[in-house]
Amino acid sequence: METKACVLHSEKDLRIENAPLAEVGDDQVLVRIGAGGICGSDLHYYLDGGFGVVRVKEPIILGHEVAGTVEAIGAKVTKVKPGDRIALNPSRPCGKCKFCQSGEQQHCLDMWFYGSAMRFPHSQGAFRERIVAYDFQCEPVGEAVSLGEAACCEPLSVALHAVQQPGSLTGKRVLVTGSGPIGALVIAAARYAGALEVVATDLHDAALKKAVEMGATRTVNVAQAPGLAAGEFTADKGYFDVVLECTGAGGVIKSALPALKPRGALVQVGTAGEVPIPIDAIVGKEIRIMGSSRFHLEYPLAARLIKEGRINVKPIITATVPFERAVEAFQMASDRKAHMKVQLTF
Ligand SMILES: [Zn+2]
Ligand SMILES: [Zn+2]
């Protein structure tokens, strides 16, 4: 059996072609993919052939933010049945390594993650019409939400994981730097987690408008008013309890520190490569710096929050394009000013 898939051969060489479709095993399901969101990592693979040391070395099916409908199930599957609409968790930790065994599956030593060139042979992705997946990857989302919304489960999981890093956000003042798709979902997750105020920054007004729709209580366009470096947010040793940094830009990280209160937390969500940071400011104010990577338990939580309409992800979906026009969709997704989340339909 075969299925149509979006296969990246090398930088900017994305083709729709047939890919093999495995037999459905006892604990597996056949899923007809309905929607798939283009993520920053997909874009890096497409535009640059990878990021950092991670390079595309063989044809790879992109895509990890997907949802679809179960078409068939293996003999031992009880979690879902044919016809169920599901969000498909792209993450398959091994379950056996020391990190999986200690409940830190996001650090699995033998992780299979859809559409990732981190390992070789590459872990093939889910931008395809049909896929055979394991039952434990499926999270039913009911009938009330679109598969496009369900496909936002993965980035929402990333956001829900990030807001847990600094401890309780209840009653806290939170700054979210960068209101792209992840920033927007981090805003929603911070509100869900009980943040009193969520101030969002970005360079573009369109993104800030979305930030408000996602729950930001105030916005600052840092292109017009460079900084937080002056004014109320930096007076008296800072305003915010927590900064959730989603840009990965060195200058932004640096400019956020004066706005952080002593003993506040800087959660780094965006990847930044290597950037200089003012250590003395961190020492002087006893700032806690922490990273956030991927998710595990947050995926079923994200599915439930979307399913029940408790977090509305619709504002971030700015375009929906049939997968046959994937190249056009990837070009749209690279225009940060015009788009947040571009999704493919299958
Ligand atoms: Zn993603
Ligand atoms: Zn593991």
Side-chain angles (χ1 to χ4, degrees):
M1 285 249 287
E2 287 196 321
T3 185
K4 288 241 182 317
C6 302
V7 185
L8 184 74
H9 284 254
S10 62
E11 198 176 307
K12 301 216 179 86
D13 182 5
L14 184 65
R15 308 178 201 170
I16 305 298
E17 48 191 40
N18 285 327
L21 190 63
E23 292 287 310
V24 180
D26 277 356
D27 54 354
Q28 290 182 315
V29 298
L30 176 65
V31 179
R32 188 182 160 77
I33 300 293
I38 298 173
C39 184
S41 62
D42 297 314
L43 264 183
H44 278 302
Y45 288 131
Y46 174 73
L47 292 173
D48 314 318
F51 43 87
V53 291
V54 180
R55 309 309 303 177
V56 172
K57 299 191 198 93
E58 63 172 344
I60 180 171
I61 302 174
L62 296 177
H64 59 268
E65 300 180 2
V66 293
T69 308
V70 175
E71 281 195 329
I73 60 171
K76 290 187 185 150
V77 172
T78 54
K79 188 176 179 184
V80 290
K81 56 183 190 312
D84 281 357
R85 301 166 83 248
I86 55 128
L88 189 59
N89 190 335
S91 170
R92 258 170 50 208
C94 77
K96 296 178 192 136
C97 73
K98 61 180 178 181
F99 297 110
C100 283
Q101 288 293 307
S102 61
E104 292 174 333
Q105 286 88 339
Q106 70 273 26
H107 298 296
C108 175
L109 296 172
D110 190 20
M111 173 73 89
W112 284 89
F113 193 93
Y114 283 161
S116 167
M118 275 188 192
R119 58 193 297 162
F120 190 87
H122 297 335
S123 180
Q124 297 295 324
F127 283 168
R128 44 174 138 183
E129 283 187 314
R130 285 184 175 76
I131 193 166
V132 174
Y134 288 89
D135 54 354
F136 66 81
Q137 294 174 260
C138 301
E139 293 301 331
V141 292
E143 302 293 327
V145 294
S146 67
L147 289 176
E149 289 163 75
C152 293
C153 261
E154 191 270 346
L156 180 58
S157 305
V158 170
L160 290 166
H161 189 68
V163 300
Q164 287 175 37
Q165 300 290 352
S168 171
L169 288 189
T170 307
K172 299 285 170 64
R173 290 168 171 170
V174 174
L175 174 67
V176 178
T177 48
S179 302
I182 289 292
L185 292 168
V186 163
I187 291 165
R191 288 297 301 271
Y192 168 74
L196 176 68
E197 285 180 45
V198 179
V199 177
T201 70
D202 204 275
L203 294 167
H204 305 299
D205 282 336
L208 292 173
K209 215 173 138 241
K210 298 288 183 187
V212 172
E213 287 179 59
M214 296 305 288
T217 51
R218 278 166 80 176
T219 61
V220 180
N221 186 324
V222 283
Q224 290 152 13
L228 302 167
E232 63 177 308
F233 295 135
T234 51
D236 300 334
K237 290 195 176 181
Y239 185 85
F240 297 102
D241 300 289
V242 172
V243 175
L244 290 147
E245 207 297 297
C246 301
T247 70
V252 176
I253 299 169
K254 201 173 160 186
S255 75
L257 291 172
L260 201 48
K261 285 201 299 209
R263 304 189 76 94
L266 172 75
V267 184
Q268 192 60 41
V269 187
T271 51
E274 287 179 30
V275 297
I277 47 170
I279 291 296
D280 290 354
I282 290 157
V283 171
K285 288 210 286 189
E286 301 186 310
I287 302 289
R288 294 174 294 145
I289 298 188
M290 52 198 77
S292 186
S293 183
R294 292 186 170 166
F295 53 87
H296 181 62
L297 294 174
E298 293 83 2
Y299 196 88
L301 173 63
R304 185 148 176 208
L305 294 174
I306 290 175
K307 176 186 176 183
E308 296 177 1
R310 293 163 73 181
I311 288 185
N312 177 17
V313 295
K314 258 188 277 182
I316 71 160
I317 305 169
T318 50
T320 304
V321 180
F323 83 101
E324 292 86 349
R325 285 160 47 204
V327 169
E328 190 188 324
F330 271 73
Q331 274 152 6
M332 288 164 78
S334 27
D335 184 355
R336 253 289 265 130
K337 249 189 261 176
H339 286 288
M340 283 225 149
K341 182 63 76 189
V342 176
Q343 290 188 334
L344 301 171
T345 50
F346 295 83

